Amino acid sequence: FKKMYDSLRDFRNEEYLWFQVAEYGFDTFMIRTRARG
């Protein structure tokens, strides 16, 4: 279980960073759109 969990944890941490990069454009668009009303 420890071997599997360590692998999953490492993947999750790296995936989270890439998710932030991928979603940055969309988040920025939504914030600007909402600010305009």
Side-chain angles (χ1 to χ4, degrees):
F1 179 79
K2 182 182 179 338
K3 184 178 179 181
M4 183 204 65
Y5 177 74
D6 290 344
S7 175
L8 181 63
R9 185 190 62 217
D10 293 344
F11 170 77
R12 184 190 63 207
N13 290 340
E14 186 171 329
E15 185 271 339
Y16 179 71
L17 294 174
W18 282 110
F19 182 77
Q20 287 179 320
V21 171
E23 291 293 310
Y24 178 75
F26 179 71
D27 288 344
T28 311
F29 167 76
M30 291 302 289
I31 290 168
R32 283 193 318 242
T33 302
R34 189 169 217 184
R36 291 180 197 157

